[in-house]
Every structure is written in structure tokens, then in C-alpha cells.
Amino acid sequence: MVDTLGVAVVGFGWMGRVHTQAYARVRHHYPHLPLVPELVTVAEEVPGRAEEAAAQFGFASTTRDWREVVADPRVKAVSITAPNFLHREIGVAMAEAGKHIWIEKPVGLTAEDARAVADAVAEAGVQGTVGFNYRNAPAVEAARELIASGEIGTVTHVRIRLFSDYAAHPEGALTWRYERERGGSGVLGDLASHGADLARHLLGDITSLTADTAIFLPERARPTGATAGHSRASGGELGPVENEDYVSCLLRFASGARGVLEACRVSVGEQNNYGFEVHGTKGAVFWDFRRMNELGISRGTTYQDQAVTRVYVGPGHGEFAAFQPGAANAMGYDDLKVIEAYRFLRSVAEGTAHGATLADAVHSAAALDAMARSASSGTWAEVAAGA
């Protein structure tokens, strides 16, 4: 028997659209999922945007006030894709109203915010999924299994990179993303949050770190109207960029492994250059998001001059079989969010968490807080144990 689940989307920028498209597609790829998401309502404060979403995707109703979603008995689950400064207030309110939540990272501005949402979810007994989408790539899941199996030996060190040019243009508008009050951190929350999650997902807990940050484009023009994504603005009043464009970080793991995490949002010539290189005592594994369905793997007993083999993931890896019938058929970014939607809905149906949870968000946020402390003090910082 298949039941419907009334869902709402709060915040309809690019990520709200991605969530909505994932809801629309999830049963195409997972026909045996016992829940069918029903698009009940969309909340967006920008005039006209919610109505456009309803016309395109079929939401039954619209609102400009997310609080109406809290009180709507038709809504049983909510995607929270609003700006960072609203994550805590909306997340806690939805959970306390008994609604399951699928919330985007970084879940607020600080680890305290993420922990407040996690506590509300736990106390309400609802499910909470977090948008750490890169861990859903079948190749990443295959890499994690390879590392855990010991095929590359004991992990010695990892390098994680997240370089992008989405904020590189000097005419990029001074949106909420660049303000401390509404965006919190800059590239820490935008990209390094994914890096911290991948590091822990692959290698286990981070115990301490030291970080350096920088702002390379200190001023931007204020937009004159509503913005979405990474809009341009020129000729407007200039205002200060309050959070970091760049972070570099040395990591220490509980396992004894070491790591380097580097992220930048103003890297000219880099478009979504995300990936990792994990080295062990007997081999290594490499992943590049731009070649999402491939792994570079070195394993054996040669050690010196040991070859690296390219491996294409296929139906035996992660959720690949739900999308393609054979290895080397491409999957894309939006597919990762469909996997996320599936794991969210499965969590709701079964009452057991699948995929990234609020606990994972707290761990990532604790690492980001430690990076900020370290960059300010110039010293090593401990990452909160049991975050």
C-alpha cells in the first residue's frame, strides 16, 4: 500500500527548486517507496516567486509567510531551503509542530544553531535529513567502502578541495551570503561544510585543526531588487564583504590520520572543482566531482611506482542502479538530491534515519566553528567531542 505525504518547500531559490524537482522524480527511480510526496504548499517572501513555483510544479497553495506552513495540518514534511540565518528558527518551529524536516546545510550560523535544530528533531520524534549531497555520489560511497575494507591500508592523509568561481566576479551582488548577521560564515558554510562532512564520512571524527581565512574581494555593490543564486549588481552603493572568501585548514583525525582542507569561492578558472585524495599505507583513492562517476584507485603490493587505475562506478555501487543500468552511464548533481529525497522519505516511512542526519550537521558545524576560532587566534583549535 502506498501513502501520500504532504510536503512543503520553504524558500524557493535555486535549492528550493532542486528539492521540488527531487520530490517530483523520486518515485520514478524508487517505485517501491511506500510514500508518495504530495506538493502541498510553497513559502517564499519574494513577491510572485511562490506563484510561479506553483504554476510550474503543481503546489496546491502558496504563501509568503513560512509560519503558515507550521500551522498547516496538510503538511507532514518540510524542505527548508531558506537563507542560513533562518535555518534555526524555521527548523525548530517545524520540528516542534511534528513535521519531518529536510534541511540544507549548514543548518544555521553556528554549531549552537545546528544543535538546537537537532535537539528539537530528537525531542519531537521526527526525522531530520541534511543536504550533504556529495556523500550520496555512488563513487564516494564506493570510496568509503574501499577505505573501510583496508584495501589501501591504514589511511595516512587526505586532501579535500572545494574551489569555485561563483563569487569571483567583482560585480557579484552584496547579498545575504556576504553578511555575518544573515549568512554567518562565508565559504566555511557554503563549501567547507561539505568538506568537513566528507572528511568525517570517509575517515572518522576530526579532533583538532588549524585554519587561515582571507577576504579577497572586500566590497560589493548592494542589489536594488530581489536576488536569486549569485546575481550581478553594478553601479549600486558599495558595502563591505563581512565573511571569508577563502579557507585553508590542517586536520587531525581520531584515527591518527592527517588532512588538508582548502575551499575558495572566488577561484577564477575553477568551476565546481571539488574532490578528495585519500592516501594509505598500501594505496590511494581519488575522486573529482566533475568526473562524478569515476574513481582513481591505487592498490596492491608494489608501493613504489604503483599504478593508478580508473574505475567507473556501476549498479553495484551506492544507489547507481536506481538511475542507470550499467557502468559509465553518467549521473549528475540533481540525481544526488533525488537520492537524498529518497533517503529522507524512507526515513519517514520506516522511522529510522537513512543518509545524513542532524547529528552529522552538528559535527560539521563544530568543525566550522573550530576553523573560525583558529583563524582568529592563530592557534590550533579542538573540535568539540561528541558534537
Side-chain angles (χ1 to χ4, degrees):
M1 180 178 178
V2 177
D3 295 323
T4 59
L5 182 76
V7 301
V9 176
V10 175
F12 206 81
W14 170 62
M15 190 52 65
R17 180 179 294 272
V18 172
H19 276 231
T20 303
Q21 291 170 168
Y23 285 130
R25 292 179 53 200
V26 68
R27 287 272 298 175
H28 299 169
H29 298 279
Y30 299 96
H32 301 297
L33 184 66
L35 285 176
V36 176
E38 179 183 2
L39 299 177
V40 172
T41 190
V42 55
E44 171 57 62
E45 66 177 9
V46 176
R49 191 178 286 174
E51 288 74 17
E52 291 175 3
Q56 181 175 2
F57 295 103
F59 287 96
S61 61
T62 67
T63 179
R64 291 182 63 184
D65 186 353
W66 62 263
R67 294 168 186 82
E68 292 185 8
V69 179
V70 176
D72 193 333
R74 300 172 300 167
V75 176
K76 306 301 180 185
V78 182
S79 279
I80 302 171
T81 54
N84 298 352
F85 71 99
L86 293 171
H87 285 184
R88 177 173 180 167
E89 184 181 8
I90 297 174
V92 169
M94 295 298 177
E96 289 179 345
K99 302 181 192 302
H100 307 284
I101 65 172
W102 176 12
I103 186 169
E104 275 305 312
K105 56 82 199 169
V107 191
L109 306 182
T110 63
E112 181 183 352
D113 286 350
R115 192 172 290 108
V117 179
D119 289 345
V121 164
E123 290 171 9
V126 297
Q127 295 298 315
T129 292
V130 179
F132 289 128
N133 40 264
Y134 299 110
R135 62 156 62 190
N136 297 327
V140 173
E141 298 196 64
R144 187 172 187 250
E145 292 177 4
L146 183 75
I147 293 165
S149 73
E151 286 196 55
I152 65 168
T154 301
V155 172
T156 53
H157 58 100
V158 60
R159 185 165 72 99
I160 298 174
R161 69 187 185 281
L162 299 109
F163 299 144
S164 186
D165 63 357
Y166 67 80
H169 201 290
E171 292 182 0
L174 188 69
T175 66
W176 61 267
R177 294 181 181 277
Y178 303 100
E179 300 174 3
R180 283 287 179 191
E181 185 176 351
R182 297 194 295 166
S185 60
V187 77
L188 289 179
D190 276 357
L191 296 180
S193 56
H194 283 297
D197 180 67
L198 281 174
R200 179 171 169 269
H201 188 60
L202 294 170
L203 272 65
D205 285 345
I206 302 166
T207 57
S208 60
L209 54 81
T210 184
D212 184 34
T213 62
I215 298 173
F216 296 133
L217 293 177
E219 289 187 320
R220 295 179 182 272
R222 300 185 188 280
T224 56
T227 61
H230 305 289
S231 304
R232 302 269 182 89
S234 61
E237 178 188 358
L238 293 179
V241 172
E242 298 174 350
N243 50 33
E244 73 291 336
D245 291 322
Y246 170 85
V247 61
S248 60
C249 187
L250 300 179
L251 307 170
R252 290 176 178 167
F253 294 85
S255 66
R258 297 297 193 263
V260 177
L261 189 160
E262 190 177 16
C264 185
R265 64 187 181 187
V266 296
S267 297
V268 175
E270 300 281 14
Q271 295 86 40
N272 299 326
N273 182 358
Y274 309 152
F276 56 74
E277 303 154 14
V278 181
H279 294 267
T281 54
K282 296 194 298 182
V285 59
F286 309 89
W287 180 70
D288 186 329
F289 169 66
R290 298 165 301 177
R291 305 177 71 94
M292 192 178 83
N293 304 293
E294 301 176 18
L295 284 176
I297 300 176
S298 178
R299 53 189 166 187
T301 57
T302 305
Y303 300 101
Q304 187 177 3
D305 298 328
Q306 185 162 285
V308 176
T309 302
R310 178 183 297 175
V311 175
Y312 296 104
V313 294
H317 302 111
E319 296 293 330
F320 189 94
F323 297 85
Q324 299 293 349
N329 285 293
M331 289 177 61
Y333 175 88
D334 285 8
D335 295 330
L336 303 184
K337 302 307 277 192
V338 174
I339 294 171
E340 211 164 88
Y342 162 66
R343 289 174 171 166
F344 174 50
L345 295 169
R346 184 181 173 194
S347 299
V348 173
E350 299 178 4
T352 302
H354 295 278
T357 67
L358 268 300
D360 296 312
V362 173
H363 280 282
S364 175
L368 301 185
D369 281 4
M371 290 179 202
R373 292 197 310 273
S374 174
S376 176
S377 66
T379 61
W380 283 82
E382 300 296 316
V383 178

